[in-house]
Amino acid sequence: MVRFFRTTAIAAGLLVASNPVFADDLVTIMELAMRNDPTLRQAEAQLNANRTQLDMARASILPQANATFSEQRQNSGLAGDISYTELPASTRRYSLGLSQALFNLSSWYNYQGAKDAERAQILNFQAQEQDLIIRVATAYFNVLRAIDDLTTRRQEEEASQRQFERTQQREEVGLVAITEVYEAQAVYDLARNNTILAQDTLATSYEALEAITGQPHPNIDTLVDDFPAEQVEGDMERWVSEALNNNPQLLAARAAVEAQTEVTKARRSARLPTVNLQGGYQYVDSTANQGTDGSVRSAGAIEGVSLSVQVSIPLYTGHSLTAQQEQAEYNLVAQQEAATLARRQTTQNIRNAYRRVNTDALVINQRQQAIVSAEAALNAIEAGYEVGTRNIVDVLQSRQQLFVALRNYSDARYNYVIDSLELKRRAGVLTPQDIIDLNEWLTDESESATQ
C-alpha cells in the first residue's frame, strides 16, 4: 500500500506547499482518506493478520528446537524408625532437543499454498485501494452534483416566484383569469418543495464525504466548465485484454486457485511417509544422599548426546485423511468456478464501463444542445404569451424543461468523470495519478472570484 499511494502523498504535499488553500481539492481529500478511511484501515489490518499464516506454514519446514530444565528435591527416611533420619536428594536435568523435517511433502505443499494465498490477499488489498479512489471520487462529485442541483432548484424557485407574483398583478388588473394564478402558484409551491429536498440531499452528500475522511469539507473545489468529455482511447477488446491481465480481483481469484491446488496436493501427500532428523543433548546432575550408616552415596553427573532419523507412515486414521483429501478437491473445484465467474464478470463489467463512458461523452454534447434549444423555446413561448398566442401553462412547462436540461447536463458531466475512473478500475490500471490529473480540472470558485 505504501508504494501504491506514495505518488499521491508526494504530489499532495507539493500542492499544499506551493499553493494557498482556499477550499479542499480532490488530492487533499484523497490524502485524508488514505489515512482515515476505516474500511481501508480494516482491510490493511486484516492483510497483516493473514500474512501470519505464511509464517506458520513456513515454520513446519524449518528446524525446531527446544530446551528444558527441571530440578527435583525429595526427603525420605525409614518408616517406623524412632530415630528418624532424613535422606535428602536432588536432581537437576538440562536438555536440548532439535528436529528437522527431511521429507514432508504435505508441509511443503502447505507452504507453497500459503505463499499463493498471501499473493491473493495482497491483490485483494490492491482492489480495496482502487475501491477507495472510486469511493472518494464518487462522494466528492456527488457533493458537486448536489450543489449544482440545489443551485438550479433555487433559480427555478425564484423564477417561479416571479412568475407567480407577475401573474397575480395581471389578474388584479383583469388581464388574466384566476386559473392562471392558481397554476403559477402550484408550480411555485412545487419548486419550493424541491429546493427543500435538494438542501437535504446536499447535507447528506457532505456527510457521506466526511464519513470517509473523518473530517468535514464545507468548501470544495468545483469542476471547470471546459472539462473535456472525450471518447475512450483504444477499442473495446484492448480494454478487455487489459482487464484480464491486470484486474486485481481476477488475479486474486486465480491466485486462490493456485493456493487451493497446493493445498490439495498437500492432502494427497498426507499418506506418504515423513522423515525427520531428531537430535538431543541431556545433562543430569544428582546430589549425594547420606545413609543411616553415615556413608555418602553420590550419583554424580551424567550427560549424553543422541541423533536419530525417524520415519513415520500413517497406516489408519479413521478415514480422516480421505475426508480431508475429498474436501480439498471439492474446494479446488469451487475456487476454479469462482475464478471462471470472476473472469466472465470482469469481461462483462469492462465492456459495460467502456460503452458507458462513450455514451456519457455523447450525452454531454447532446445535453448542451438541449439547453440551447430549451432557452430558445422558452424565449419564443414567453414572447407568444405576451401577445396572447401562448398561455401560462406553456410558459411554466417550457421553463421547467429548461431547468431539467440544466440538471441533466450537470449529471452527465459528473457521470462521465466517475465512469471514466470506474473504467480504469475495472481494467486494473486505476492509480492515484489519475486523481492528481483530474485535480488539475478543479478550481476554487472563491479564489477565482478574488482574482
Side-chain angles (χ1 to χ4, degrees), residues 299-316:
I302 302 173
E303 66 177 340
V305 178
S306 63
L307 186 65
S308 64
V309 175
Q310 182 183 32
V311 179
S312 177
I313 303 175
L315 298 179
Y316 179 71

Side-chain angles (χ1 to χ4, degrees), residues 20-70:
V21 179
F22 295 91
D24 292 338
D25 61 10
L26 188 56
V27 168
T28 301
I29 292 177
M30 176 61 67
E31 192 176 28
L32 288 172
M34 287 160 43
R35 298 194 302 264
N36 301 328
D37 178 56
T39 301
L40 187 65
R41 297 280 71 79
Q42 178 186 11
E44 184 179 16
Q46 190 63 50
L47 172 64
N48 293 331
N50 291 336
R51 279 178 166 174
T52 60
Q53 297 292 331
L54 178 60
D55 296 331
M56 289 186 285
R58 185 189 293 111
S60 63
I61 61 175
L62 294 178
Q64 308 291 314
N66 62 82
T68 60
F69 166 76
S70 65

Side-chain angles (χ1 to χ4, degrees), residues 30-344:
M30 176 61 67
E31 192 176 28
L32 288 172
M34 287 160 43
R35 298 194 302 264
N36 301 328
D37 178 56
T39 301
L40 187 65
R41 297 280 71 79
Q42 178 186 11
E44 184 179 16
Q46 190 63 50
L47 172 64
N48 293 331
N50 291 336
R51 279 178 166 174
T52 60
Q53 297 292 331
L54 178 60
D55 296 331
M56 289 186 285
R58 185 189 293 111
S60 63
I61 61 175
L62 294 178
Q64 308 291 314
N66 62 82
T68 60
F69 166 76
S70 65
E71 181 174 357
Q72 180 181 1
R73 295 177 179 271
Q74 72 177 60
N75 291 321
S76 60
L78 298 177
D81 189 353
I82 299 177
S83 59
Y84 175 78
T85 302
E86 286 189 352
L87 300 175
S90 65
T91 302
R92 290 183 178 179
R93 187 185 304 273
Y94 306 87
S95 64
L96 177 65
L98 180 66
S99 65
Q100 171 63 55
L102 299 180
F103 180 81
N104 192 328
L105 276 182
S106 180
S107 295
W108 174 255
Y109 286 133
N110 280 328
Y111 171 57
Q112 297 300 319
K115 290 198 296 184
D116 291 329
E118 183 190 38
R119 183 159 55 89
Q121 293 157 6
I122 293 175
L123 288 167
N124 280 323
F125 183 70
Q126 291 177 359
Q128 291 281 349
E129 292 175 326
Q130 294 188 1
D131 181 68
L132 174 63
I133 296 177
I134 293 296
R135 288 190 290 113
V136 170
T138 301
Y140 186 97
F141 287 104
N142 279 346
V143 171
L144 296 184
R145 189 197 308 268
I147 291 175
D148 287 356
D149 182 66
L150 179 59
T151 300
T152 57
R153 294 294 183 183
R154 284 173 172 168
Q155 291 173 349
E156 185 174 7
E157 178 187 349
E158 292 172 359
S160 300
Q161 183 180 11
R162 289 194 300 269
Q163 183 67 52
F164 171 53
E165 294 172 350
R166 183 181 179 188
T167 304
Q168 281 183 316
Q169 295 171 356
R170 291 168 64 90
E171 190 272 335
E172 290 174 357
V173 297
L175 296 178
V176 296
I178 189 64
T179 55
E180 291 195 6
V181 176
Y182 295 152
E183 290 167 346
Q185 182 177 9
V187 172
Y188 168 64
D189 292 339
L190 178 60
R192 176 58 184 159
N193 179 73
N194 289 335
T195 299
I196 295 173
L197 293 176
Q199 290 172 336
D200 180 71
T201 300
L202 177 58
T204 302
S205 300
Y206 276 124
E207 291 290 343
L209 186 59
E210 181 179 350
I212 298 176
T213 65
Q215 297 183 18
H217 305 281
N219 186 21
I220 63 176
D221 287 355
T222 60
L223 189 65
V224 297
D225 294 335
D226 58 347
F227 176 77
E230 302 172 347
Q231 297 282 306
V232 181
E233 296 183 3
D235 58 21
M236 180 184 293
E237 292 310 310
R238 185 180 73 83
W239 282 88
V240 171
S241 177
E242 192 83 24
L244 295 179
N245 292 327
N246 296 296
N247 183 279
Q249 292 174 317
L250 177 58
L251 297 180
R254 292 171 180 170
V257 171
E258 296 174 4
Q260 188 58 41
T261 300
E262 298 298 329
V263 172
T264 304
K265 292 179 181 179
R267 299 295 180 267
R268 291 170 181 170
S269 59
R271 300 178 182 277
L272 299 177
T274 59
V275 182
N276 294 316
L277 177 66
Q278 303 277 347
Y281 169 78
Q282 183 170 275
Y283 178 86
V284 181
D285 183 14
S286 299
T287 61
N289 293 333
Q290 184 176 2
T292 57
D293 57 357
S295 63
V296 177
R297 298 192 302 269
S298 176
I302 302 173
E303 66 177 340
V305 178
S306 63
L307 186 65
S308 64
V309 175
Q310 182 183 32
V311 179
S312 177
I313 303 175
L315 298 179
Y316 179 71
T317 59
H319 298 291
S320 65
L321 294 182
T322 301
Q324 291 174 4
Q325 178 180 337
E326 291 177 351
Q327 182 187 49
E329 290 173 349
Y330 287 131
N331 286 336
L332 177 58
V333 173
Q335 290 291 352
Q336 289 171 338
E337 294 301 327
T340 300
L341 178 61
R343 188 182 191 280
R344 293 178 182 177

Side-chain angles (χ1 to χ4, degrees), residues 380-442:
I381 291 175
E382 286 180 335
Y385 178 68
E386 294 295 333
V387 298
T389 59
R390 291 284 189 168
N391 57 40
I392 188 64
V393 175
D394 296 332
V395 174
L396 297 175
Q397 290 180 343
S398 179
R399 184 176 290 114
Q400 286 178 330
Q401 289 176 356
L402 173 59
F403 286 109
V404 168
L406 290 171
R407 286 190 290 271
N408 287 342
Y409 173 68
S410 175
D411 282 341
R413 293 202 327 142
Y414 299 129
N415 288 341
Y416 174 83
V417 173
I418 296 173
D419 289 341
S420 297
L421 295 176
E422 183 67 21
L423 174 64
K424 293 184 177 181
R425 182 175 83 96
R426 296 294 184 182
V429 296
L430 179 63
T431 68
Q433 184 61 44
D434 295 304
I435 292 297
I436 296 174
D437 295 339
L438 180 58
N439 199 72
E440 297 297 323
W441 294 99
L442 300 177

